[in-house]
Every structure is written in structure tokens, then in C-alpha cells.
Amino acid sequence: MENVIILGTGIAGLTAAIYIARANLSPLLISGQEDGGQLMLTTEVENFPGFPDGINGQDLVANSKKQAEKFGAKFKTDIAEDFNPIDGGFEISLMGGDKIQTKTIIIATGASARWLGIPSEEKYKGRGVSTCATCDGAFYKGKEIIVVGGGDSAMEESLFLTKFATKVTVIHRRDEFRASKIMQDKFQKNENTEVIWDSVVEEILGDGKVVTGVKLKNVKTNDITEFKCDGVFLAIGHIPNTKFLTGKVDLDKLGYVKADTLMKTSVSGIFAAGDVQDTRFKQAITAAGSGCMAGMEAEKYLAEKE
Ligand code: NAP
């Protein structure tokens, strides 16, 4: 039986792993669907302490993984599908068919990009509609793009996309951004960015193969207009990856795991860390911090049991 299984290899899971591995408890991390988590999809991380010149998100993940491995953390590429209590712990069922027994679990499955939920989006997914500028931006050299959203991600993705696209237009459903002042300032200083306020994407238009534009609705006037573009990037927030936890641990009404200040969930022996339980901060550093806390608490739980 494993001591600790950590579900998720984002910065929360990796930080928990560093702490648990340093306590000689050799945790096992299960990658989940998005190995490395959201940092794999970001460019420069400028607000993680210790990196005055910023650090690339993928490098931060790779370094943290190396650090956890150095102390004895083990990694498995698979996705947790279910778990059930057993004598002395839990049994986790993985999509690949394996069943693994463990004394404790840390849920650090993070959150995945939110989609608009309109039929045309489904049709053009991967053919002009994307949720990842870092992954797909390079395909839009010399093209025109829209970014949907008004938060820090929308600002960050837009700025990144101006490296390739001739023009990036942000479509936001309100008349002011949610993004932090510093990100808004950077966005507004860039000559290749524009904004269309008070508008939502009603439909993604295309020629059957690729995106050619969008149908926009002004939410104040109800006017419908068509806007030509070659790509649509969505930056409208995230949804916690907790589907497999329904009925197993307490979730809030938005689907986030309910964890107390010690990162304990409603089930004794199961802890949560990172964006899967964070409705407020959602920062790399807070994810890492909660990973540290969950790791230390899991370690304490095991010590008290033995
Ligand atoms: P967010 O802050 O939740 O912003 C999501 C944006 O999408 C909001 O402007 C929201 O509009 C809009 N939106 C949501 N659902 C929509 C829908 N169905 N249709 C149209 N628009 C919709 O998400 P985020 O930008 O991904 O940021 C998440 C967290 O990560 C934040 O805490 C942010 O500070 C952090 N972050 C930080 C950095 C950085 O510091 N460099 C970079 C990226 C993210 P409303 O404003 O009207 O609600």
C-alpha cells in the first residue's frame, strides 16, 4: 500500500510531493489529463518569488518535478477515475485499468479551461478555436485573432498572441476588465490590441474547414454584427476537475472541493490543494503554498495513525 497518492502534477501536487518525499514517504503522483497543469500553458510567470526576471511556466514545472524526483517521488501517467474506502485507506481506480491502494490521498487535480458551450465552437475546436495561446499561437502568423474574456488570462494571452497575429481584438461581455491593473496597462500599451466591450460571441463562423469570423451580440443593444477573424482564443476562466469526486468528498455548488484551513476534505485521510479547492486566489504561488500545507498535513496524519 502506498503512503500518499497525489492526484495531479501541477505546481500544487509537485510541491506536496517535495514535502512528502523529503519526509521519506515516497509519494506516488498520478499525472491526470493535463500533466504539469496550467503552468504548462502559460508563458512567463512574473510573480513567483525568487525569479526577478520571471520564469517560463514549463521550466517551473520541470524544475519542481526534478526536485520531487530527487527526494524519491514516483510518477505514473494515468487518470484517476474513482476511489473507494478500504481497510487502512483507499483504493484508487485508474483509467488504464490499474487499481492502487494508498493510506492517504491529496487531490490536486486543478481546473481546466472553460468553453463557451455553443455548437459552432465544437465544430471548429482545433480548427481555429483554442483555449491555449502558448500551444496554438504560432499557427496565426500574420492573421487576425479574437480573444474572449476580460481577466488576467485574456490580457496575457492577447499580448502573447501579438507576437504572431497582426491584430488581436478582445471581446468582453462587460465594459470594464476584471484583469489586474498591471496586466491591463500592458495590454493597453500594445499597439496591436483592440477591445470590443459589452459583447458576447453568439456563433463561430467558418467555411466548414477553418474559422472565418464570429457573430457578436452587443448585450446592451442586442445588435448582432459579424466580425472577421482567423482564430478564436477563449480565456473565460476554468472549471475544477472534480467530476470523479461527486458523492465521494464534499464539493461546493460550483464543483470545487471543500477543504478547511488545514487542507482537509470532508473525508478523513483525503486532502486537497491548488485550484481544485481555490475559488479565490488561483495563483501559482498559492497553489504551491496549499500543496505544501496538504503535504505536511498528510505526513502528520500518517504519523498519528502509526
Ligand atoms: P477569471 O479571472 O475568472 O476571468 C474570466 C473572464 O472571462 C472574466 O472577465 C469573465 O467575465 C469572462 N467570462 C467568464 N465566463 C464567460 C462566458 N461564458 N462568456 C464570456 N466571458 C466569460 O479567469 P482568468 O483570467 O483565467 O484568471 C484566473 C486566475 O488566474 C485569476 O486569479 C488571475 O488573476 C490569475 N492569473 C494571473 C495571471 C498573472 O498574474 N500573470 C495570468 C493569468 C491568470 P466577467 O469579468 O464579466 O466575470
Side-chain angles (χ1 to χ4, degrees), residues 47 114 116 148-153 156 172-174 178 183 235-238 281-283:
N47 48 13
R114 186 193 302 280
L116 291 170
V148 185
D152 281 333
S153 296
E156 190 176 74
H172 186 37
R173 63 183 179 184
R174 290 191 289 136
R178 176 181 294 277
M183 296 297 281
I236 56 171
H238 292 81
F281 300 106
K282 302 174 188 181
Q283 303 296 302

Side-chain angles (χ1 to χ4, degrees), residues 25-278:
L25 291 168
S26 46
L28 172 64
L29 291 93
I30 309 294
S31 66
Q33 211 147 18
E34 293 165 26
D35 195 8
Q38 285 177 54
L39 282 176
M40 299 298 283
L41 311 177
T42 55
T43 45
E44 210 63 8
V45 181
E46 287 184 333
N47 48 13
F48 202 94
F51 302 97
D53 300 321
I55 179 168
N56 176 286
Q58 294 176 10
D59 291 344
L60 185 55
V61 169
N63 289 345
S64 308
K65 194 169 179 183
K66 212 161 133 191
Q67 201 172 345
E69 259 170 345
K70 185 175 98 177
F71 296 117
K74 304 165 287 180
F75 291 83
K76 185 173 174 67
T77 307
D78 213 325
I79 299 169
E81 234 178 11
D82 194 13
F83 73 87
N84 286 297
I86 54 166
D87 198 19
F90 308 92
E91 184 173 80
I92 300 180
S93 307
L94 302 178
M95 210 166 260
D98 287 345
K99 288 185 189 299
I100 312 177
Q101 300 190 339
T102 179
K103 293 176 192 164
T104 65
I105 300 174
I106 295 178
I107 302 164
T109 46
S112 297
R114 186 193 302 280
W115 294 80
L116 291 170
I118 52 177
S120 48
E121 165 188 77
E122 205 53 51
K123 187 169 171 189
Y124 290 104
K125 245 183 209 177
R127 294 193 286 157
V129 182
S130 170
T131 56
C132 179
T134 18
C135 317
D136 300 327
F139 298 124
Y140 295 87
K141 230 175 197 148
K143 309 229 163 156
E144 291 201 14
I145 289 174
I146 65 158
V147 171
V148 185
D152 281 333
S153 296
M155 303 293 100
E156 190 176 74
E157 304 238 320
S158 302
L159 289 168
F160 176 73
L161 288 167
T162 58
K163 290 185 185 174
F164 311 101
T166 45
K167 198 176 91 186
V168 178
T169 305
V170 166
I171 313 292
H172 186 37
R173 63 183 179 184
R174 290 191 289 136
D175 58 4
E176 61 177 350
F177 285 137
R178 176 181 294 277
S180 56
K181 175 89 174 60
I182 185 168
M183 296 297 281
Q184 288 194 42
D185 288 349
K186 277 189 185 174
F187 173 84
Q188 262 137 15
K189 269 188 203 142
N190 191 299
E191 286 175 359
N192 297 326
T193 57
E194 276 181 26
V195 192
I196 298 180
W197 301 108
D198 298 316
S199 296
V200 293
V201 174
E202 284 271 287
E203 193 184 336
I204 290 157
L205 307 170
D207 60 6
K209 287 186 189 149
V210 292
V211 167
T212 55
V214 284
K215 203 179 264 182
L216 298 178
K217 180 178 153 189
N218 183 301
V219 292
K220 284 191 175 154
T221 62
N222 282 334
D223 282 351
I224 303 278
T225 51
E226 283 191 10
F227 187 89
K228 275 192 181 168
C229 63
D230 307 293
V232 176
F233 283 81
L234 305 176
I236 56 171
H238 292 81
I239 297 174
N241 294 319
T242 54
K243 238 185 196 159
F244 74 109
L245 298 171
T246 310
K248 306 273 176 171
V249 299
D250 285 355
L251 307 177
D252 72 8
K253 61 179 188 310
L254 295 175
Y256 288 85
V257 174
K258 282 187 179 175
D260 68 10
T261 50
L262 299 177
M263 314 323 293
K264 291 176 180 172
T265 70
S266 56
V267 180
S268 173
I270 302 186
F271 304 84
D275 282 9
V276 77
Q277 53 79 52
D278 180 2

Side-chain angles (χ1 to χ4, degrees), residues 11-13 15-17 19-20 106 263 272-274 286-296:
I11 194 69
T15 308
Y19 275 77
I20 293 163
I106 295 178
M263 314 323 293
T286 50
S290 64
C292 156
M293 290 157 71
M296 291 178 76

